[in-house]
Amino acid sequence: MNIAGPVSAMTLAERARRAAKVAAEFADQVDTEGRFPREGMDALKAERLMGVMIRPELGGEAASMTEIADLCAILGQACASTAMTYAMHQIQIASLADYAVGSAWHEAFLKRICDEQLLIASATSEAGIGGNLRNSICAVDLDGETARLEKNATVISYGAMADAIIVTSRRNADAPHSDQIATLFLKEQYSLERTSVWDTLGMRGTCSDGYIFKAEAPAEQILPKPFAEIAAQSMLAVSHLLWGALWYGIAADAVARSQAFVKAAARKSPGQTPPGALRLAEASNLLQQVKANVVAGLKQFEAAKGDADALNAMSFSVAMNNIKVGTSQMILTIINHCMLICGIAAYKNGTPFSLGRHLRDAHSAQLMISNDRILGNTSTMLLVNKQDTSLLG
Amino acid sequence: MNSTIRELLSKHGGLPIAVDKLADADDLYEAGLSSFASVQLMLALEEEFDVEFPENLLNRKSFSSIVSIADALSQITDDRQVA
Ligand SMILES: Cc1cc2nc3c(=O)[nH]c(=O)nc-3n(C[C@H](O)[C@H](O)[C@H](O)COP(=O)(O)OP(=O)(O)OC[C@H]3O[C@@H](n4cnc5c(N)ncnc54)[C@H](O)[C@@H]3O)c2cc1C
């Protein structure tokens, strides 16, 4: 590890906890105002956590996906918008770090991410396509060594705050919708014309406005691997695992709040079990299932990592899809239990037991790539996939 | 074998171009094969050749070209003869 200053002696998790403390302080304000979680993100940069997944030769710390997931879970307990921003940034880095190996331009950029603690956004969603990641309407226009692209991007989280955006498109104007590439565009190479404002129920701090994205850049900034490969082997799995980890964080904080509520009630009337205690036990049981689901997925991912056949296997996609659908549904049940435990104290804003923000943030999980769409894909795969009935395999 | 694969590909592949415009080694995903269509194609191949694709061949690579589909199929039928 070659980082200087006070962060070098601490573990990644300790550094994330320091940043999470800052993020937690501003979480309600970020939510109320629907503004970018600047303080939390600045704290993550101050802890030098933006490029930790990158190889040490390029200035990173070679953090594993499991470690990154742990950081997302820590942040999720503090401020879901900060956690989601961090997670989405890391998803982009995972694609770059593993699928642009040997591309001098991209490797130099990875080094810049570490040196300058840059923030990377993603534009996959497109008007007319919705959440179908593996389809694009827009196409890159290659003119000699210059790539031009215009995209009607319906949702780009922290688009206005990012230093670069990775944008999916068709390979060229003649390519079918599924023949996609991903291109990294730098802030100074694109313009964003805002078409919609992110005034939502939850995840308000992600500032996921819609934009007409217009860019021009040297063609070498196109990721060398086809996007189909990046999506299948990295982006889908990494998204589901890191999202699952931060969603776990949201639910874990809700359970922590309701446990504090039950404890306070128990202290007030010694000898009597508070009415919420049983439901807390149930919530704790469900939370453990979410955790086990994510941890098992991380284990499977780490085992498959670097093995294209294992990452491409249908059984692997089915498992990752199941993690996404399962965790996104379960956290809502858990937070609802916590609501019942804390009652009005949870329903009201501004109490130590408030859960409105948690519940609203958690509701994004089943829509962020629609669960119905994911279940549809899984059901197609199950037409041919052989079920692995072993407990450990 | 390749002509049967081509026939099933044109029926189930949902490709935006005619299958006879494709060479055996051309990348089917680049030609527009979706993952949904690849599963439909796989089911049709299983039915036609009376085989079942094993787990280790259920991946993108097996369906990336007519050649690779043929390879996968002959691998399955070879295994069956050995067994
Ligand atoms: C917090 C947050 C941040 C986001 N950030 C980004 C970002 O940075 N970049 C980005 O590109 N996108 C981002 N997205 C968008 C996201 O990835 C999806 O594109 C989006 O959530 C899907 O939107 P939709 O519901 O309109 O789309 P659709 O996928 O079009 O779905 C609309 C509805 O149709 C139904 N439906 C559609 N297709 C099917 C199908 N095949 N089977 C079954 N049902 C179907 C679904 O039930 C769904 O309710 C973000 C979303 C959220 C919530």
Side-chain angles (χ1 to χ4, degrees), chain A residues 134 171 176 178-179 228 232 309 312-315 380 383-386, chain B residues 16 29-32 36 39-40 42-43 52-53 55 58-61:
Chain A
R134 289 288 293 101
R171 182 179 302 280
S178 59
D179 182 16
D309 284 345
N312 273 328
M314 244 180 217
S315 53
T380 303
L383 294 177
V384 288
N385 182 54
K386 312 276 168 311
Chain B
Y29 296 107
E30 273 174 32
F36 179 77
V39 167
Q40 298 306 318
M42 194 180 300
L43 288 172
E52 205 169 308
F53 278 82
E55 174 65 22
L58 287 180
N59 57 44
R60 278 182 67 76
K61 214 168 65 191

PDB file of all heavy atoms in Angstrom, chain A residues 134 171 176 178-179 228 232 309 312-315 380 383-386, chain B residues 16 29-32 36 39-40 42-43 52-53 55 58-61:
ATOM      1  N   ARG A 134     -29.028  -4.592 -21.685  1.00  0.00           N
ATOM      2  CA  ARG A 134     -28.382  -5.244 -22.809  1.00  0.00           C
ATOM      3  C   ARG A 134     -28.953  -4.814 -24.171  1.00  0.00           C
ATOM      4  O   ARG A 134     -28.847  -5.538 -25.154  1.00  0.00           O
ATOM      5  CB  ARG A 134     -28.456  -6.767 -22.630  1.00  0.00           C
ATOM      6  CG  ARG A 134     -27.561  -7.262 -21.512  1.00  0.00           C
ATOM      7  CD  ARG A 134     -26.103  -7.189 -21.923  1.00  0.00           C
ATOM      8  NE  ARG A 134     -25.872  -8.151 -23.011  1.00  0.00           N
ATOM      9  CZ  ARG A 134     -25.790  -7.848 -24.281  1.00  0.00           C
ATOM     10  NH1 ARG A 134     -25.843  -6.595 -24.665  1.00  0.00           N
ATOM     11  NH2 ARG A 134     -25.627  -8.760 -25.189  1.00  0.00           N
ATOM     12  N   ARG A 171     -22.569  -0.515 -31.320  1.00  0.00           N
ATOM     13  CA  ARG A 171     -21.204  -0.399 -31.834  1.00  0.00           C
ATOM     14  C   ARG A 171     -21.116   0.635 -32.952  1.00  0.00           C
ATOM     15  O   ARG A 171     -20.181   1.416 -33.033  1.00  0.00           O
ATOM     16  CB  ARG A 171     -20.749  -1.767 -32.351  1.00  0.00           C
ATOM     17  CG  ARG A 171     -19.343  -1.830 -32.876  1.00  0.00           C
ATOM     18  CD  ARG A 171     -19.008  -3.245 -33.328  1.00  0.00           C
ATOM     19  NE  ARG A 171     -19.164  -4.192 -32.217  1.00  0.00           N
ATOM     20  CZ  ARG A 171     -18.250  -4.370 -31.271  1.00  0.00           C
ATOM     21  NH1 ARG A 171     -17.132  -3.673 -31.307  1.00  0.00           N
ATOM     22  NH2 ARG A 171     -18.448  -5.231 -30.292  1.00  0.00           N
ATOM     23  N   PRO A 176     -26.974  -4.290 -34.617  1.00  0.00           N
ATOM     24  CA  PRO A 176     -28.237  -4.581 -33.927  1.00  0.00           C
ATOM     25  C   PRO A 176     -28.224  -4.016 -32.493  1.00  0.00           C
ATOM     26  O   PRO A 176     -27.155  -3.724 -31.947  1.00  0.00           O
ATOM     27  CB  PRO A 176     -28.297  -6.109 -33.916  1.00  0.00           C
ATOM     28  CG  PRO A 176     -26.956  -6.595 -34.317  1.00  0.00           C
ATOM     29  CD  PRO A 176     -26.226  -5.487 -34.994  1.00  0.00           C
ATOM     30  N   SER A 178     -28.437  -5.256 -29.679  1.00  0.00           N
ATOM     31  CA  SER A 178     -27.713  -5.970 -28.627  1.00  0.00           C
ATOM     32  C   SER A 178     -26.199  -5.949 -28.831  1.00  0.00           C
ATOM     33  O   SER A 178     -25.457  -6.383 -27.970  1.00  0.00           O
ATOM     34  CB  SER A 178     -28.192  -7.423 -28.574  1.00  0.00           C
ATOM     35  OG  SER A 178     -27.965  -8.030 -29.834  1.00  0.00           O
ATOM     36  N   ASP A 179     -25.730  -5.427 -29.961  1.00  0.00           N
ATOM     37  CA  ASP A 179     -24.280  -5.372 -30.193  1.00  0.00           C
ATOM     38  C   ASP A 179     -23.754  -4.057 -29.635  1.00  0.00           C
ATOM     39  O   ASP A 179     -23.630  -3.057 -30.331  1.00  0.00           O
ATOM     40  CB  ASP A 179     -23.975  -5.509 -31.687  1.00  0.00           C
ATOM     41  CG  ASP A 179     -22.479  -5.517 -31.960  1.00  0.00           C
ATOM     42  OD1 ASP A 179     -21.705  -5.715 -31.002  1.00  0.00           O
ATOM     43  OD2 ASP A 179     -22.081  -5.323 -33.119  1.00  0.00           O
ATOM     44  N   ALA A 228     -21.423  -6.785 -24.018  1.00  0.00           N
ATOM     45  CA  ALA A 228     -22.117  -8.030 -23.652  1.00  0.00           C
ATOM     46  C   ALA A 228     -21.271  -8.844 -22.677  1.00  0.00           C
ATOM     47  O   ALA A 228     -21.778  -9.386 -21.698  1.00  0.00           O
ATOM     48  CB  ALA A 228     -22.400  -8.857 -24.899  1.00  0.00           C
ATOM     49  N   ALA A 232     -22.189  -9.467 -18.769  1.00  0.00           N
ATOM     50  CA  ALA A 232     -22.419 -10.837 -18.311  1.00  0.00           C
ATOM     51  C   ALA A 232     -21.431 -11.238 -17.229  1.00  0.00           C
ATOM     52  O   ALA A 232     -21.793 -11.879 -16.247  1.00  0.00           O
ATOM     53  CB  ALA A 232     -22.330 -11.803 -19.491  1.00  0.00           C
ATOM     54  N   ASP A 309     -15.490 -18.878 -18.050  1.00  0.00           N
ATOM     55  CA  ASP A 309     -16.532 -19.908 -18.193  1.00  0.00           C
ATOM     56  C   ASP A 309     -17.456 -19.916 -16.977  1.00  0.00           C
ATOM     57  O   ASP A 309     -18.677 -20.000 -17.116  1.00  0.00           O
ATOM     58  CB  ASP A 309     -15.901 -21.296 -18.368  1.00  0.00           C
ATOM     59  CG  ASP A 309     -15.342 -21.482 -19.776  1.00  0.00           C
ATOM     60  OD1 ASP A 309     -15.708 -20.660 -20.651  1.00  0.00           O
ATOM     61  OD2 ASP A 309     -14.541 -22.406 -19.980  1.00  0.00           O
ATOM     62  N   ASN A 312     -19.657 -16.879 -16.997  1.00  0.00           N
ATOM     63  CA  ASN A 312     -20.647 -16.909 -18.077  1.00  0.00           C
ATOM     64  C   ASN A 312     -21.716 -17.962 -17.857  1.00  0.00           C
ATOM     65  O   ASN A 312     -22.699 -18.002 -18.594  1.00  0.00           O
ATOM     66  CB  ASN A 312     -19.955 -17.219 -19.411  1.00  0.00           C
ATOM     67  CG  ASN A 312     -19.457 -15.957 -20.071  1.00  0.00           C
ATOM     68  OD1 ASN A 312     -20.078 -14.907 -19.923  1.00  0.00           O
ATOM     69  ND2 ASN A 312     -18.364 -16.044 -20.780  1.00  0.00           N
ATOM     70  N   ALA A 313     -21.486 -18.853 -16.894  1.00  0.00           N
ATOM     71  CA  ALA A 313     -22.412 -19.973 -16.717  1.00  0.00           C
ATOM     72  C   ALA A 313     -23.791 -19.460 -16.331  1.00  0.00           C
ATOM     73  O   ALA A 313     -23.932 -18.491 -15.586  1.00  0.00           O
ATOM     74  CB  ALA A 313     -21.887 -20.916 -15.642  1.00  0.00           C
ATOM     75  N   MET A 314     -24.797 -20.127 -16.846  1.00  0.00           N
ATOM     76  CA  MET A 314     -26.165 -19.726 -16.546  1.00  0.00           C
ATOM     77  C   MET A 314     -26.475 -19.840 -15.059  1.00  0.00           C
ATOM     78  O   MET A 314     -27.142 -19.000 -14.484  1.00  0.00           O
ATOM     79  CB  MET A 314     -27.102 -20.635 -17.305  1.00  0.00           C
ATOM     80  CG  MET A 314     -27.903 -19.882 -18.304  1.00  0.00           C
ATOM     81  SD  MET A 314     -28.971 -20.995 -19.150  1.00  0.00           S
ATOM     82  CE  MET A 314     -28.869 -20.241 -20.740  1.00  0.00           C
ATOM     83  N   SER A 315     -25.939 -20.891 -14.442  1.00  0.00           N
ATOM     84  CA  SER A 315     -26.224 -21.083 -13.012  1.00  0.00           C
ATOM     85  C   SER A 315     -25.698 -19.898 -12.201  1.00  0.00           C
ATOM     86  O   SER A 315     -26.293 -19.510 -11.196  1.00  0.00           O
ATOM     87  CB  SER A 315     -25.598 -22.379 -12.519  1.00  0.00           C
ATOM     88  OG  SER A 315     -24.229 -22.383 -12.851  1.00  0.00           O
ATOM     89  N   THR A 380     -36.421 -17.529 -18.125  1.00  0.00           N
ATOM     90  CA  THR A 380     -35.930 -18.026 -19.421  1.00  0.00           C
ATOM     91  C   THR A 380     -34.772 -18.995 -19.201  1.00  0.00           C
ATOM     92  O   THR A 380     -34.725 -20.074 -19.790  1.00  0.00           O
ATOM     93  CB  THR A 380     -35.439 -16.850 -20.296  1.00  0.00           C
ATOM     94  OG1 THR A 380     -36.502 -15.935 -20.454  1.00  0.00           O
ATOM     95  CG2 THR A 380     -34.973 -17.334 -21.653  1.00  0.00           C
ATOM     96  N   LEU A 383     -35.435 -22.551 -18.134  1.00  0.00           N
ATOM     97  CA  LEU A 383     -35.936 -23.504 -19.129  1.00  0.00           C
ATOM     98  C   LEU A 383     -34.864 -24.519 -19.509  1.00  0.00           C
ATOM     99  O   LEU A 383     -35.162 -25.625 -19.927  1.00  0.00           O
ATOM    100  CB  LEU A 383     -36.411 -22.768 -20.389  1.00  0.00           C
ATOM    101  CG  LEU A 383     -37.627 -21.862 -20.238  1.00  0.00           C
ATOM    102  CD1 LEU A 383     -37.912 -21.160 -21.555  1.00  0.00           C
ATOM    103  CD2 LEU A 383     -38.840 -22.664 -19.793  1.00  0.00           C
ATOM    104  N   VAL A 384     -33.603 -24.124 -19.386  1.00  0.00           N
ATOM    105  CA  VAL A 384     -32.529 -25.043 -19.761  1.00  0.00           C
ATOM    106  C   VAL A 384     -31.528 -25.308 -18.643  1.00  0.00           C
ATOM    107  O   VAL A 384     -30.835 -26.305 -18.644  1.00  0.00           O
ATOM    108  CB  VAL A 384     -31.750 -24.527 -21.001  1.00  0.00           C
ATOM    109  CG1 VAL A 384     -32.586 -24.653 -22.247  1.00  0.00           C
ATOM    110  CG2 VAL A 384     -31.287 -23.110 -20.795  1.00  0.00           C
ATOM    111  N   ASN A 385     -31.449 -24.398 -17.690  1.00  0.00           N
ATOM    112  CA  ASN A 385     -30.440 -24.528 -16.638  1.00  0.00           C
ATOM    113  C   ASN A 385     -30.707 -25.742 -15.748  1.00  0.00           C
ATOM    114  O   ASN A 385     -31.848 -26.022 -15.401  1.00  0.00           O
ATOM    115  CB  ASN A 385     -30.451 -23.258 -15.784  1.00  0.00           C
ATOM    116  CG  ASN A 385     -29.396 -23.295 -14.716  1.00  0.00           C
ATOM    117  OD1 ASN A 385     -28.235 -23.508 -15.015  1.00  0.00           O
ATOM    118  ND2 ASN A 385     -29.800 -23.118 -13.484  1.00  0.00           N
ATOM    119  N   LYS A 386     -29.627 -26.448 -15.398  1.00  0.00           N
ATOM    120  CA  LYS A 386     -29.785 -27.572 -14.471  1.00  0.00           C
ATOM    121  C   LYS A 386     -29.638 -27.047 -13.051  1.00  0.00           C
ATOM    122  O   LYS A 386     -28.651 -26.393 -12.738  1.00  0.00           O
ATOM    123  CB  LYS A 386     -28.700 -28.621 -14.693  1.00  0.00           C
ATOM    124  CG  LYS A 386     -28.490 -29.030 -16.116  1.00  0.00           C
ATOM    125  CD  LYS A 386     -29.456 -30.093 -16.561  1.00  0.00           C
ATOM    126  CE  LYS A 386     -29.418 -30.262 -18.060  1.00  0.00           C
ATOM    127  NZ  LYS A 386     -29.513 -29.019 -18.831  1.00  0.00           N
TER     128      LYS A 386
ATOM    129  N   PRO B  16     -31.782  -9.952 -36.893  1.00  0.00           N
ATOM    130  CA  PRO B  16     -32.269  -8.932 -37.834  1.00  0.00           C
ATOM    131  C   PRO B  16     -31.753  -9.149 -39.259  1.00  0.00           C
ATOM    132  O   PRO B  16     -32.198  -8.461 -40.170  1.00  0.00           O
ATOM    133  CB  PRO B  16     -31.719  -7.626 -37.239  1.00  0.00           C
ATOM    134  CG  PRO B  16     -30.576  -8.016 -36.379  1.00  0.00           C
ATOM    135  CD  PRO B  16     -30.820  -9.423 -35.919  1.00  0.00           C
ATOM    136  N   TYR B  29     -23.684 -13.037 -31.409  1.00  0.00           N
ATOM    137  CA  TYR B  29     -24.146 -11.948 -30.533  1.00  0.00           C
ATOM    138  C   TYR B  29     -24.013 -10.609 -31.248  1.00  0.00           C
ATOM    139  O   TYR B  29     -24.877  -9.749 -31.159  1.00  0.00           O
ATOM    140  CB  TYR B  29     -23.390 -11.960 -29.207  1.00  0.00           C
ATOM    141  CG  TYR B  29     -23.658 -13.217 -28.421  1.00  0.00           C
ATOM    142  CD1 TYR B  29     -22.706 -14.209 -28.306  1.00  0.00           C
ATOM    143  CD2 TYR B  29     -24.901 -13.420 -27.812  1.00  0.00           C
ATOM    144  CE1 TYR B  29     -22.967 -15.379 -27.602  1.00  0.00           C
ATOM    145  CE2 TYR B  29     -25.179 -14.579 -27.112  1.00  0.00           C
ATOM    146  CZ  TYR B  29     -24.205 -15.556 -27.011  1.00  0.00           C
ATOM    147  OH  TYR B  29     -24.466 -16.703 -26.318  1.00  0.00           O
ATOM    148  N   GLU B  30     -22.896 -10.473 -31.979  1.00  0.00           N
ATOM    149  CA  GLU B  30     -22.726  -9.245 -32.768  1.00  0.00           C
ATOM    150  C   GLU B  30     -23.794  -9.155 -33.849  1.00  0.00           C
ATOM    151  O   GLU B  30     -24.202  -8.066 -34.243  1.00  0.00           O
ATOM    152  CB  GLU B  30     -21.331  -9.204 -33.403  1.00  0.00           C
ATOM    153  CG  GLU B  30     -20.298  -8.584 -32.483  1.00  0.00           C
ATOM    154  CD  GLU B  30     -18.881  -8.658 -33.044  1.00  0.00           C
ATOM    155  OE1 GLU B  30     -18.735  -8.611 -34.281  1.00  0.00           O
ATOM    156  OE2 GLU B  30     -17.953  -8.776 -32.229  1.00  0.00           O
ATOM    157  N   ALA B  31     -24.261 -10.325 -34.312  1.00  0.00           N
ATOM    158  CA  ALA B  31     -25.309 -10.328 -35.342  1.00  0.00           C
ATOM    159  C   ALA B  31     -26.691 -10.077 -34.727  1.00  0.00           C
ATOM    160  O   ALA B  31     -27.678  -9.983 -35.462  1.00  0.00           O
ATOM    161  CB  ALA B  31     -25.294 -11.657 -36.075  1.00  0.00           C
ATOM    162  N   GLY B  32     -26.754  -9.990 -33.394  1.00  0.00           N
ATOM    163  CA  GLY B  32     -28.019  -9.612 -32.758  1.00  0.00           C
ATOM    164  C   GLY B  32     -28.709 -10.727 -31.987  1.00  0.00           C
ATOM    165  O   GLY B  32     -29.874 -10.578 -31.601  1.00  0.00           O
ATOM    166  N   PHE B  36     -32.353 -14.317 -24.648  1.00  0.00           N
ATOM    167  CA  PHE B  36     -33.645 -15.023 -24.707  1.00  0.00           C
ATOM    168  C   PHE B  36     -33.670 -15.946 -25.928  1.00  0.00           C
ATOM    169  O   PHE B  36     -34.004 -17.128 -25.830  1.00  0.00           O
ATOM    170  CB  PHE B  36     -34.803 -14.020 -24.773  1.00  0.00           C
ATOM    171  CG  PHE B  36     -36.156 -14.675 -24.869  1.00  0.00           C
ATOM    172  CD1 PHE B  36     -36.748 -15.240 -23.744  1.00  0.00           C
ATOM    173  CD2 PHE B  36     -36.827 -14.744 -26.082  1.00  0.00           C
ATOM    174  CE1 PHE B  36     -37.984 -15.865 -23.830  1.00  0.00           C
ATOM    175  CE2 PHE B  36     -38.066 -15.369 -26.174  1.00  0.00           C
ATOM    176  CZ  PHE B  36     -38.646 -15.922 -25.038  1.00  0.00           C
ATOM    177  N   VAL B  39     -31.592 -19.078 -25.662  1.00  0.00           N
ATOM    178  CA  VAL B  39     -32.231 -20.151 -24.900  1.00  0.00           C
ATOM    179  C   VAL B  39     -33.267 -20.879 -25.760  1.00  0.00           C
ATOM    180  O   VAL B  39     -33.337 -22.108 -25.766  1.00  0.00           O
ATOM    181  CB  VAL B  39     -32.876 -19.601 -23.607  1.00  0.00           C
ATOM    182  CG1 VAL B  39     -33.798 -20.636 -22.989  1.00  0.00           C
ATOM    183  CG2 VAL B  39     -31.801 -19.202 -22.614  1.00  0.00           C
ATOM    184  N   GLN B  40     -34.033 -20.135 -26.528  1.00  0.00           N
ATOM    185  CA  GLN B  40     -35.014 -20.759 -27.419  1.00  0.00           C
ATOM    186  C   GLN B  40     -34.311 -21.671 -28.426  1.00  0.00           C
ATOM    187  O   GLN B  40     -34.760 -22.773 -28.706  1.00  0.00           O
ATOM    188  CB  GLN B  40     -35.822 -19.685 -28.175  1.00  0.00           C
ATOM    189  CG  GLN B  40     -36.640 -18.770 -27.280  1.00  0.00           C
ATOM    190  CD  GLN B  40     -37.570 -19.531 -26.341  1.00  0.00           C
ATOM    191  OE1 GLN B  40     -38.202 -20.503 -26.744  1.00  0.00           O
ATOM    192  NE2 GLN B  40     -37.638 -19.120 -25.077  1.00  0.00           N
ATOM    193  N   MET B  42     -31.416 -23.078 -28.001  1.00  0.00           N
ATOM    194  CA  MET B  42     -30.891 -24.225 -27.269  1.00  0.00           C
ATOM    195  C   MET B  42     -31.975 -25.290 -27.079  1.00  0.00           C
ATOM    196  O   MET B  42     -31.743 -26.487 -27.288  1.00  0.00           O
ATOM    197  CB  MET B  42     -30.403 -23.732 -25.902  1.00  0.00           C
ATOM    198  CG  MET B  42     -29.547 -24.722 -25.162  1.00  0.00           C
ATOM    199  SD  MET B  42     -29.012 -24.060 -23.560  1.00  0.00           S
ATOM    200  CE  MET B  42     -28.111 -22.612 -24.008  1.00  0.00           C
ATOM    201  N   LEU B  43     -33.182 -24.835 -26.729  1.00  0.00           N
ATOM    202  CA  LEU B  43     -34.290 -25.780 -26.546  1.00  0.00           C
ATOM    203  C   LEU B  43     -34.600 -26.504 -27.849  1.00  0.00           C
ATOM    204  O   LEU B  43     -34.817 -27.711 -27.869  1.00  0.00           O
ATOM    205  CB  LEU B  43     -35.536 -25.029 -26.063  1.00  0.00           C
ATOM    206  CG  LEU B  43     -35.507 -24.524 -24.617  1.00  0.00           C
ATOM    207  CD1 LEU B  43     -36.709 -23.628 -24.339  1.00  0.00           C
ATOM    208  CD2 LEU B  43     -35.487 -25.695 -23.638  1.00  0.00           C
ATOM    209  N   GLU B  52     -29.241 -33.206 -24.205  1.00  0.00           N
ATOM    210  CA  GLU B  52     -29.459 -32.202 -23.173  1.00  0.00           C
ATOM    211  C   GLU B  52     -28.124 -31.505 -22.926  1.00  0.00           C
ATOM    212  O   GLU B  52     -27.103 -32.177 -22.719  1.00  0.00           O
ATOM    213  CB  GLU B  52     -29.956 -32.881 -21.894  1.00  0.00           C
ATOM    214  CG  GLU B  52     -30.750 -31.939 -21.024  1.00  0.00           C
ATOM    215  CD  GLU B  52     -31.460 -32.678 -19.895  1.00  0.00           C
ATOM    216  OE1 GLU B  52     -32.160 -33.663 -20.182  1.00  0.00           O
ATOM    217  OE2 GLU B  52     -31.287 -32.271 -18.744  1.00  0.00           O
ATOM    218  N   PHE B  53     -28.125 -30.187 -23.002  1.00  0.00           N
ATOM    219  CA  PHE B  53     -26.879 -29.457 -22.780  1.00  0.00           C
ATOM    220  C   PHE B  53     -26.475 -29.570 -21.318  1.00  0.00           C
ATOM    221  O   PHE B  53     -27.259 -29.212 -20.434  1.00  0.00           O
ATOM    222  CB  PHE B  53     -27.049 -27.977 -23.144  1.00  0.00           C
ATOM    223  CG  PHE B  53     -26.911 -27.708 -24.607  1.00  0.00           C
ATOM    224  CD1 PHE B  53     -27.986 -27.910 -25.467  1.00  0.00           C
ATOM    225  CD2 PHE B  53     -25.705 -27.278 -25.136  1.00  0.00           C
ATOM    226  CE1 PHE B  53     -27.856 -27.679 -26.822  1.00  0.00           C
ATOM    227  CE2 PHE B  53     -25.576 -27.047 -26.495  1.00  0.00           C
ATOM    228  CZ  PHE B  53     -26.657 -27.247 -27.347  1.00  0.00           C
ATOM    229  N   GLU B  55     -24.386 -28.591 -17.831  1.00  0.00           N
ATOM    230  CA  GLU B  55     -24.087 -27.315 -17.175  1.00  0.00           C
ATOM    231  C   GLU B  55     -22.839 -26.624 -17.761  1.00  0.00           C
ATOM    232  O   GLU B  55     -22.843 -25.432 -18.016  1.00  0.00           O
ATOM    233  CB  GLU B  55     -23.924 -27.583 -15.670  1.00  0.00           C
ATOM    234  CG  GLU B  55     -23.474 -26.408 -14.827  1.00  0.00           C
ATOM    235  CD  GLU B  55     -24.472 -25.272 -14.772  1.00  0.00           C
ATOM    236  OE1 GLU B  55     -25.670 -25.513 -15.027  1.00  0.00           O
ATOM    237  OE2 GLU B  55     -24.053 -24.135 -14.500  1.00  0.00           O
ATOM    238  N   LEU B  58     -23.579 -24.646 -20.844  1.00  0.00           N
ATOM    239  CA  LEU B  58     -24.635 -23.625 -20.794  1.00  0.00           C
ATOM    240  C   LEU B  58     -24.012 -22.261 -20.555  1.00  0.00           C
ATOM    241  O   LEU B  58     -24.077 -21.717 -19.469  1.00  0.00           O
ATOM    242  CB  LEU B  58     -25.604 -23.921 -19.640  1.00  0.00           C
ATOM    243  CG  LEU B  58     -26.571 -25.095 -19.832  1.00  0.00           C
ATOM    244  CD1 LEU B  58     -27.439 -25.234 -18.605  1.00  0.00           C
ATOM    245  CD2 LEU B  58     -27.442 -24.861 -21.056  1.00  0.00           C
ATOM    246  N   ASN B  59     -23.377 -21.738 -21.567  1.00  0.00           N
ATOM    247  CA  ASN B  59     -22.789 -20.409 -21.396  1.00  0.00           C
ATOM    248  C   ASN B  59     -22.757 -19.689 -22.730  1.00  0.00           C
ATOM    249  O   ASN B  59     -23.063 -20.272 -23.772  1.00  0.00           O
ATOM    250  CB  ASN B  59     -21.393 -20.526 -20.778  1.00  0.00           C
ATOM    251  CG  ASN B  59     -20.481 -21.397 -21.626  1.00  0.00           C
ATOM    252  OD1 ASN B  59     -20.463 -21.273 -22.847  1.00  0.00           O
ATOM    253  ND2 ASN B  59     -19.737 -22.277 -20.990  1.00  0.00           N
ATOM    254  N   ARG B  60     -22.395 -18.444 -22.668  1.00  0.00           N
ATOM    255  CA  ARG B  60     -22.371 -17.604 -23.874  1.00  0.00           C
ATOM    256  C   ARG B  60     -21.486 -18.172 -24.976  1.00  0.00           C
ATOM    257  O   ARG B  60     -21.834 -18.106 -26.149  1.00  0.00           O
ATOM    258  CB  ARG B  60     -21.818 -16.214 -23.525  1.00  0.00           C
ATOM    259  CG  ARG B  60     -22.792 -15.269 -22.928  1.00  0.00           C
ATOM    260  CD  ARG B  60     -22.124 -13.921 -22.679  1.00  0.00           C
ATOM    261  NE  ARG B  60     -21.759 -13.229 -23.930  1.00  0.00           N
ATOM    262  CZ  ARG B  60     -22.606 -12.617 -24.724  1.00  0.00           C
ATOM    263  NH1 ARG B  60     -23.877 -12.586 -24.429  1.00  0.00           N
ATOM    264  NH2 ARG B  60     -22.202 -12.007 -25.824  1.00  0.00           N
ATOM    265  N   LYS B  61     -20.345 -18.715 -24.553  1.00  0.00           N
ATOM    266  CA  LYS B  61     -19.353 -19.148 -25.529  1.00  0.00           C
ATOM    267  C   LYS B  61     -19.924 -20.228 -26.454  1.00  0.00           C
ATOM    268  O   LYS B  61     -19.704 -20.192 -27.660  1.00  0.00           O
ATOM    269  CB  LYS B  61     -18.109 -19.668 -24.793  1.00  0.00           C
ATOM    270  CG  LYS B  61     -16.831 -19.367 -25.543  1.00  0.00           C
ATOM    271  CD  LYS B  61     -15.587 -19.604 -24.684  1.00  0.00           C
ATOM    272  CE  LYS B  61     -15.439 -21.066 -24.311  1.00  0.00           C
ATOM    273  NZ  LYS B  61     -14.400 -21.288 -23.281  1.00  0.00           N
TER     274      LYS B  61
END
